[in-house]
Amino acid sequence: MTTDQSLAEFPSARAFQPTLDHMLERIRVAGMKVFAAIDHAAGAREVGLSMPPTVLVLYGHAVGGTPVMLAAPLLALDLPLRALLRETVDGRVLLSFHPIAPLLEASGIAPEQIARLEAAQRVVLGALGT
């Protein structure tokens, strides 16, 4: 596990696809929306290249994100939330994201709004099976 102000990375106890499936389900059950799931490995295959499974998930809910973007419009560059799930060349499955709190704090966002988006980021951690 790696965590600092700019990156949080956690290993999964599950294989890639079960972790991805569980993460998408947890997001939906929490009442959030999956805006996009970008399959980078599929994109690589389309141009004759290969890479391990790698999916970027954009997710969130307008109730949490809209007030934040109204308070600091440039935060729309970083919202919705993002989580990267990837399999390393040695077969480990890792979930990575940029912790949202430092960015929100630097933009002067209210603590209760920060807490809401931090909780949304923690939802994806439940997919790791640890």
Side-chain angles (χ1 to χ4, degrees):
M1 175 176 76
T2 302
T3 57
D4 64 33
Q5 288 275 343
S6 63
L7 178 69
E9 189 166 68
F10 304 90
S12 178
R14 298 181 167 102
F16 180 85
Q17 193 61 52
T19 302
L20 179 60
D21 293 343
H22 196 61
M23 182 171 70
L24 296 174
E25 180 63 18
R26 287 186 59 84
I27 290 168
R28 288 184 188 104
V29 166
M32 293 182 282
K33 180 178 181 179
V34 174
F35 295 106
I38 302 168
D39 187 338
H40 290 298
R45 283 190 300 277
E46 289 176 6
V47 296
L49 300 172
S50 66
M51 68 184 295
T54 305
V55 174
L56 177 65
V57 176
L58 283 72
Y59 70 99
H61 195 290
V63 169
T66 303
V68 168
M69 290 183 283
L70 288 171
L74 289 178
L75 287 172
L77 288 167
D78 298 291
L79 295 173
L81 295 171
R82 295 156 176 78
L84 177 67
L85 187 66
R86 65 188 178 97
E87 185 175 298
T88 65
V89 293
D90 63 359
R92 293 180 303 133
V93 176
L94 299 174
L95 174 67
S96 307
F97 56 83
H98 296 289
I100 196 69
L103 182 63
L104 299 178
E105 289 166 357
S107 296
I109 300 301
E112 61 275 5
Q113 290 173 315
I114 293 171
R116 182 178 290 156
L117 271 70
E118 281 183 310
Q121 283 192 314
R122 285 192 301 274
V123 165
V124 298
L125 294 176
L128 300 177
T130 55

